Amino acid sequence: KLLSALALRGDLQLSTTDIKILASKSFRYMLKFLANVPNAATAVEFLKLTEAIANVSPEPAALKEQVGWIANQILQKQWRDQRLLKSESLAYLIRKQIVESSDPIKIIEDYITGFNALAKGNAEILETFAFLDNETFLNFYKTVFAQLNQLCSKIPEIIQETEDDDQEVKVLQNLEKLSIVFANLMKVGKYRNFISKKGFLAVFLKRGKDFMDSWNRFAMVQLSKFFRENMEDIKFVLENIQKGTRDLQV
């Protein structure tokens, strides 16, 4: 009923009961109001509603990518009440921005750039990260690292979705990206102004350990399969992992 009501507001001539069409029309109608959302708390609820519409669609992929785009738009905007936003609401925004992106690794790489800028006090770069500051850093770091760990655990899904002819190349490309991002996220932990933050060391150690657990479980099997034909590429991947684990041990 809600889908029909929203879809009809966007198209008064609509008479279909097709869920896919209703979801698409409802989503399009909701997008008209994004620019008029008054505050960050309402923006979070707006995102949850659009996500709910995407979830009931028989073909949610296209709509979910737009959910990621909405989360991105919210996180790039300065809101008067953003400092009052609950930590779980901010984590939800970050998670949706990454998970529903067509290139989640790129989003994580961008955040690493933001973390480095925050540590060095680079105000120019930080202008593109409206919510990221010393108060919210730990929430960002924890959530971003958790999403990296999720990507690592999805290696078997990548293998299943890849054609046999392209499987080796695509899997190695993904593992290389994961290894680089892991090393760079661990490197962030070397900054003194982050290490001294209450709770950071526990997050740093836990997220690093979680990644290595997933890596050893899902990635090492694939690297062993491809080692003979791709020795140099795999050495590069393993060097990145070693850099990250050294930081974890230190």
Side-chain angles (χ1 to χ4, degrees):
K1 288 182 179 180
L2 176 61
L3 281 182
S4 297
L6 289 173
L8 278 170
R9 283 177 177 265
D11 185 353
L12 294 174
Q13 306 301 317
L14 192 67
S15 60
T16 184
T17 57
D18 186 292
I19 295 295
K20 180 182 175 183
I21 295 174
L22 290 175
S24 179
K25 293 275 188 181
S26 299
F27 202 98
R28 205 174 308 161
Y29 175 73
M30 288 295 299
L31 283 178
K32 294 178 181 179
F33 298 97
L34 178 59
N36 298 318
V37 172
N39 53 57
T42 305
V44 171
E45 297 308 313
F46 180 91
L47 182 63
K48 289 179 179 178
L49 180 54
T50 55
E51 183 187 13
I53 294 171
N55 285 338
V56 299
S57 173
E59 297 178 11
L63 294 183
K64 285 199 169 185
E65 193 167 323
Q66 290 187 68
V67 169
W69 177 82
I70 294 169
N72 190 62
Q73 295 298 111
I74 295 170
L75 284 164
Q76 287 185 348
K77 183 177 177 179
Q78 293 281 353
W79 303 86
R80 285 181 298 177
D81 68 327
Q82 67 187 53
R83 289 190 174 277
L84 302 176
L85 199 65
K86 293 179 179 178
S87 60
E88 56 265 32
S89 294
L90 178 56
Y92 169 73
L93 288 172
I94 302 164
R95 191 164 59 249
K96 290 292 118 182
Q97 181 193 29
I98 296 172
V99 170
E100 309 302 357
S101 167
S102 59
D103 190 354
I105 284 286
K106 175 64 169 59
I107 302 289
I108 295 174
E109 288 173 336
D110 288 344
Y111 274 123
I112 292 171
T113 299
F115 297 156
N116 288 324
L118 181 63
K120 296 173 182 177
N122 191 324
E124 185 177 349
I125 291 177
L126 285 173
E127 286 180 2
T128 60
F129 300 92
F131 280 77
L132 179 60
D133 57 29
N134 284 311
E135 294 298 318
T136 61
F137 164 74
L138 188 58
N139 197 356
F140 270 95
Y141 188 81
K142 179 167 58 175
T143 307
V144 168
F145 214 142
Q147 296 316 303
L148 176 67
N149 294 348
Q150 283 292 315
L151 290 173
C152 189
S153 68
K154 288 181 178 179
I155 291 170
E157 293 178 26
I158 295 171
I159 295 168
Q160 287 181 350
E161 294 169 0
T162 310
E163 296 293 332
D164 289 343
D165 293 343
D166 300 327
Q167 188 180 93
E168 188 169 320
V169 172
K170 188 167 183 180
V171 170
L172 281 175
Q173 287 175 342
N174 275 279
L175 293 179
E176 182 175 314
K177 288 179 181 178
L178 288 170
S179 70
I180 293 170
V181 172
F182 169 67
N184 288 335
L185 268 176
M186 296 302 292
K187 192 175 180 181
V188 168
K190 287 187 172 182
Y191 291 113
R192 288 186 179 180
N193 44 339
F194 292 157
I195 292 174
S196 61
K197 285 187 176 296
K198 183 179 179 181
F200 174 75
L201 187 58
V203 169
F204 178 80
L205 293 173
K206 184 180 188 310
R207 291 292 188 257
K209 180 182 180 300
D210 288 346
F211 178 88
M212 288 309 304
D213 287 346
S214 293
W215 181 268
N216 290 332
R217 184 177 176 188
F218 300 114
M220 290 305 294
V221 176
Q222 303 306 319
L223 293 178
S224 298
K225 285 182 185 177
F226 305 144
F227 188 77
R228 186 170 295 179
E229 293 80 14
N230 304 275
M231 192 177 297
E232 291 306 313
D233 290 336
I234 291 175
K235 280 184 179 178
F236 176 71
V237 170
L238 293 177
E239 283 171 4
N240 288 317
I241 295 297
Q242 286 174 347
K243 288 177 186 176
T245 53
R246 277 194 219 106
D247 291 332
L248 185 62
Q249 290 165 358
V250 172

